[in-house]
Amino acid sequence: MLTALSIRDVVLIEALDLDFGEGLGVLTGETGAGKSILLDALGLALGGRGDSGLVRHGATQAVVTASFDAPSAPLAALLDDNGVEVEPGEPLLIRRVVKADGGSRAFVNTQPVSATLLREIAPRLVEIHGQHDDRGLLNPRGHRAMLDAFGKVDPAETARCWTAYRQAEAVLAAARAEIETAARDREWLEHSVAELQALGAEPGEEESLADKRRSMQRAEKIADDLSAIEDHLEGSDGGLARLRQAARVLERVAPDHESLAEALAAVDRAVIEASAAEERLREARHALAFDPRALEEDESRLFDLRAMARKHRVQPDDLAALTEDLAGRLQRLDAGEGGIAKLEATVASTRAAYDQAAAALSERRLAAAARLDGAVATELPPLKLDAARFRTVIAPLGPDGWSGAGKDRVEFEIATNPGAPFAPLAKIASGGELSRFLLALKVALAETGGAETMVFDEIDRGVGGAVASAIGERLARLARRTQLLVVTHSPQVAARGAAHLLIAKANDGTVTRTGVRQLSEAERREEIARMLSGATVTDEARAQAERLLETA
């Protein structure tokens, strides 16, 4: 619900702060007082065009701030998806700034947003109804959703079937494209698969071969050093043999002196360590054994892996996966029409399910349309539209227009005179007729919900008496469900308001300004009397105003 509107330097409005409450709020004033400026300011906050012509003469910028109750969960989710943080339970503040030299900025709760986002959230906040509104009831793009809401028609099953059908079509199209591409490349595919399978690359094989190759190359370099070490240790003249000979001699003489015994122990330890060293050297020679033929084979395998990887523009470790992928493509190509036929059957079955769901949805819409036509017809005579006829047109869409919402095009049409053809709402020539008809339609659709705030711009244009009273009664009825703001010239409508705002223009000799103020009960009676009698307010007009207020 719109709770407040702050306007700074918009056309003739220098500074204006308005508070709004629940129910029906009426805005009155003489012709040219600036009622349209007020609606232009609200429209600006809701994403309307940021024209620099809206900036008051002499000001650098125009600023409009609209305050709303805490947003609904769906609206909060939409804002969150667009990076706008909204604290639960906190009001929603929308501010729009238009520069005199061009350009505009928009903010939601102090966070900068685009005017496009404002236009997206606007219908969830405010509905503006009038002959120049192309986003409300006049826009046929919203008629299908309105009819579904009125008839409580849920398209969820149709949407599910549509998603399944489109996914099946996408899988089939991808399979056909793959087979077509693969068929063109069959010769290359067969050669590549044969070549890769013959190579038989394994993940991690390149690193293993490279490590082995480095080890053998190193072994080749240190082979002479290892041989020299063995010569020093092994053999009859090697160091280990001489240590053992020394140990045998020491064993005979060790009892003769304590130092000889210690020397024997030391030599024994040396023999043990030298034996361990000999064993380690033997193991190292075995591990680092240099086989020129094995080195050549490993290098050849390594070069083959790397060459194949370069050829297919992958890493060597990815060759195994590539082999599997290309083999799978070749297998699917060989499977050919058998696989396609199965996918085509899936498409056919999901299409049949969608057709059935869409047909059932159309039947429910037809039933809802009949009820809506009847509800609107009931509202027309009291609004002096006795000769008008309303119908809800449900027509099939072409395949390009099918969606999760079904196959139907829905549009509201009206014929205003006997014998006249039906035409879209926007084609109604008379602004007064259109406004009254929009009210009848909105009353019929009242149960469908919508924005928490509705604005009717001069819906009573060109009517009076009983028709104006009927309009006022219906506006008051709508206002029980939602906040309603009405710009009106009708005293019968003004008398129905829970709050009455007067829009007036003042001139101090140099500057003309538009102001708005809420009227007291006495002021309200005087304003309604003015609306009844014109420039000169008579006692009779005041008495009639009193009667209107009492019966409202």
Side-chain angles (χ1 to χ4, degrees), residues 232-298:
H232 288 303
L233 285 178
E234 299 178 356
S236 58
D237 291 331
L240 185 57
R242 291 177 177 275
L243 281 172
R244 288 176 176 143
Q245 289 174 2
R248 286 195 293 273
V249 174
L250 279 171
E251 283 178 353
R252 291 196 299 269
V253 299
D256 294 334
H257 195 276
E258 180 180 349
S259 295
L260 293 174
E262 292 176 354
L264 175 60
V267 171
D268 284 341
R269 288 195 298 273
V271 169
I272 292 171
E273 291 297 329
S275 297
E278 185 181 42
E279 181 63 25
R280 299 290 86 76
L281 284 169
R282 191 176 298 111
E283 291 174 358
R285 282 186 64 86
H286 183 269
L288 296 173
F290 170 66
D291 184 346
R293 183 174 179 179
L295 176 60
E296 183 180 354
E297 290 176 353
D298 286 350

Side-chain angles (χ1 to χ4, degrees), residues 102-172:
S104 68
R105 293 177 296 159
F107 303 86
V108 174
N109 288 3
T110 73
Q111 300 174 66
V113 299
S114 66
T116 301
L117 178 59
L118 288 187
R119 287 190 289 271
E120 188 174 356
I121 67 176
R124 302 167 187 258
L125 296 170
V126 179
E127 293 181 21
I128 300 178
H129 299 297
Q131 62 176 335
H132 301 299
D133 176 37
D134 61 355
R135 293 186 294 177
L137 295 174
L138 297 186
N139 189 344
R141 285 180 295 181
H143 291 177
R144 184 170 62 190
M146 291 179 192
L147 177 63
D148 286 351
F150 172 81
K152 295 180 173 55
V153 177
D154 186 0
E157 176 61 17
T158 304
R160 186 192 66 77
C161 293
W162 170 254
T163 299
Y165 168 50
R166 294 295 291 165
Q167 287 176 344
E169 278 196 323
V171 172
L172 175 60

Side-chain angles (χ1 to χ4, degrees), residues 144 162 354 396-409:
R144 184 170 62 190
W162 170 254
Y354 172 67
L397 290 167
D400 290 344
W402 295 355
S403 69
K407 302 180 179 182
D408 304 317
R409 178 182 67 84

Side-chain angles (χ1 to χ4, degrees), residues 282-321:
R282 191 176 298 111
E283 291 174 358
R285 282 186 64 86
H286 183 269
L288 296 173
F290 170 66
D291 184 346
R293 183 174 179 179
L295 176 60
E296 183 180 354
E297 290 176 353
D298 286 350
E299 286 184 334
S300 177
R301 175 68 176 174
L302 186 60
F303 295 154
D304 287 345
L305 288 172
R306 289 174 175 172
M308 189 67 73
R310 286 194 300 272
K311 180 178 180 179
H312 290 281
R313 297 180 182 179
V314 296
Q315 295 298 317
D317 279 353
D318 296 331
L319 287 171

Side-chain angles (χ1 to χ4, degrees), residues 411-428:
E411 185 169 2
F412 302 145
E413 293 185 346
I414 187 172
T416 55
N417 297 301
F422 280 92
L425 302 185
K427 300 297 183 182
I428 298 175

